[in-house]
Amino acid sequence: MQAYLFVHFKEKTTPDGEQVYFGLSRDGFHWEEVNCGAPVLWAYFGDKGVRDFTIVRCEESGRFFIFATDLSLAYGMRNQYHNLWQEISRYGSKNFSVWESENLVDWTQQRLVKIGTDDFGCLWAPDIIYDKENQDYLLHWSSSHMENQYGAKKIYYSRTKDFEHFSEPAVLYRKEDSGVIDSAIYEEGGMYYLFVKSEENPAKIIMLTSDHAAGPYKRMEAFDQSMEGVESGLYEAPTAVRLEDGRWCLFLDYYGVPGAGQGYVPFVADSLKSGKFVRSDQAFDFPYGFKHGTILKITMEEYERIKTHDWSDKGYR
């Protein structure tokens, strides 16, 4: 039997919201808070806030890695970014915040990892997929770049085997008629499936497929049909997990209202190949609005370890 760990943040105007939070579930549908809903890890370096998490279990070492956007709106939006998203996009952090662990409860201190050069704008929303074909990890994210005057964002990627050394960034996916952000890639039956938020045409989540982790990717019309009833411009940060019965749960982050009303909305599909997802709000419950994160499948032993751990040390010893 497997369980599930959701790594996320909270949408708050105070700095405690943009820290590392854990949620747990035994079935993928019913979620509970960890550490009484308080952060389990804190960012003390860079922007001193983190958002847009991904977590991965290394195939070779068994170690766990959390990567996150190095960004605090609570501190920075009013301060160095002058209340302008354009300034964040252009001048925001060129680093990702990273934590490591061998057991999901004892974590290293936050470190900052720079990917690429200063020609990039802010590095947003990292995600990681194991590339079976190349037997390495494909770290991907969205960013603006000097080459198009920091205009429409693309999805970039870099390869790593050890999460210490990274290849030069390359473009994973660009959309000709709009920017794209918030990429998430999953493998099913030897095929790879990419979810991204399209910023225009449509201003919705789209889904693409490829037989290689790094593409090229082709749009899936069946998923577009699934999203016909979903309002434009109100959802981002797709993340998904495959349940023990083979079904897939896709979560889209709703940001159409301010504050606590934001959070993930669930959709369910029999397979990624079908592209047919059905909104399923009544089948799920969350203790509060989980914001932009990633789900990791864990063992019941790991579930109990996280649930019973004394997080008052914020994960450090």
Side-chain angles (χ1 to χ4, degrees):
M1 182 177 178
Q2 68 188 25
Y4 308 88
L5 170 64
F6 211 138
V7 183
H8 64 279
F9 73 100
K10 288 185 178 181
E11 192 63 67
K12 301 176 68 177
T13 57
T14 52
D16 59 312
E18 294 169 308
Q19 306 298 337
V20 186
Y21 291 78
F22 282 179
L24 287 172
S25 176
R26 291 175 176 267
D27 60 6
F29 290 89
H30 304 92
W31 293 87
E32 57 189 303
E33 62 190 16
V34 173
N35 195 27
C36 299
V40 299
L41 296 169
W42 284 73
Y44 296 108
F45 303 102
D47 265 21
K48 300 181 177 62
V50 279
R51 305 164 65 94
D52 317 337
F53 301 99
T54 191
I55 183 170
V56 64
R57 186 196 306 261
C58 180
E59 297 276 344
E60 292 77 17
S61 68
R63 290 180 64 82
F64 301 92
F65 295 85
I66 293 173
F67 278 65
T69 304
D70 173 34
L71 174 65
S72 171
L73 299 185
Y75 288 126
M77 180 61 88
R78 302 171 181 85
N79 185 21
Q80 69 263 37
Y81 302 126
H82 308 106
N83 285 305
L84 295 171
W85 282 103
Q86 297 95 321
E87 288 206 11
I88 296 175
S89 180
R90 169 64 183 87
Y91 299 109
S93 178
K94 311 300 188 289
N95 300 300
F96 289 127
S97 287
V98 180
W99 290 263
E100 301 178 31
S101 176
E102 294 182 350
N103 58 13
L104 292 171
V105 295
D106 299 305
W107 292 87
T108 60
Q109 186 168 258
Q110 172 201 16
R111 64 182 169 97
L112 298 176
V113 174
K114 184 172 183 178
I115 307 292
T117 69
D118 288 336
D119 290 343
F120 283 88
C122 183
L123 304 187
W124 301 88
D127 197 43
I128 299 169
I129 179 75
Y130 181 67
D131 185 345
K132 293 181 178 179
E133 184 178 10
N134 288 279
Q135 296 185 343
D136 61 8
Y137 291 87
L138 194 150
L139 169 68
H140 52 101
W141 69 93
S142 54
S143 185
S144 61
H145 197 277
M146 185 179 67
E147 66 183 5
N148 67 343
Q149 310 306 313
Y150 302 99
K153 296 180 179 65
K154 305 180 185 70
I155 307 300
Y156 293 87
Y157 76 96
S158 177
R159 295 187 179 277
T160 184
K161 289 183 178 290
D162 57 9
F163 301 98
E164 293 282 348
H165 305 89
F166 299 86
S167 66
E168 288 297 315
V171 174
L172 176 79
Y173 175 68
R174 64 164 59 90
K175 189 166 179 282
E176 296 300 329
D177 59 355
S178 80
V180 284
I181 61 173
D182 294 356
S183 56
I185 303 176
Y186 303 93
E187 185 269 335
E188 179 189 65
M191 297 292 291
Y192 292 89
Y193 297 88
L194 166 66
F195 296 94
V196 295
K197 177 189 176 183
S198 168
E199 296 190 305
E200 296 180 65
N201 306 312
K204 293 186 178 184
I205 307 300
I206 61 174
M207 182 182 182
L208 308 100
T209 186
S210 175
D211 53 3
H212 303 285
Y217 281 89
K218 180 181 179 181
R219 184 107 163 247
M220 295 181 65
E221 294 183 3
F223 183 78
D224 291 340
Q225 295 169 6
S226 294
M227 295 292 107
E228 286 180 353
V230 176
E231 307 97 317
S232 296
L234 300 180
Y235 296 85
E236 60 187 5
T239 192
V241 66
R242 192 173 195 174
L243 303 177
E244 284 192 289
D245 64 9
R247 289 183 297 167
W248 284 84
C249 293
L250 170 67
F251 299 89
L252 304 184
D253 193 344
Y254 173 70
Y255 61 97
V257 295
Q262 300 187 28
Y264 273 110
V265 174
F267 299 75
V268 176
D270 290 334
S271 68
L272 294 180
K273 182 179 180 180
S274 72
K276 297 178 180 178
F277 285 82
V278 177
R279 186 162 178 165
S280 307
D281 298 55
Q282 299 306 312
F284 292 78
D285 60 79
F286 294 90
Y288 51 78
F290 290 11
K291 291 292 294 180
H292 198 151
T294 298
I295 302 169
L296 177 73
K297 289 187 283 189
I298 59 175
T299 66
M300 287 305 302
E301 179 184 1
E302 291 165 340
Y303 168 91
E304 292 295 339
R305 185 186 306 145
I306 295 168
K307 184 177 176 67
T308 60
H309 182 67
D310 178 6
W311 290 99
S312 61
D313 65 351
K314 300 296 184 295
Y316 303 134
R317 293 195 182 278

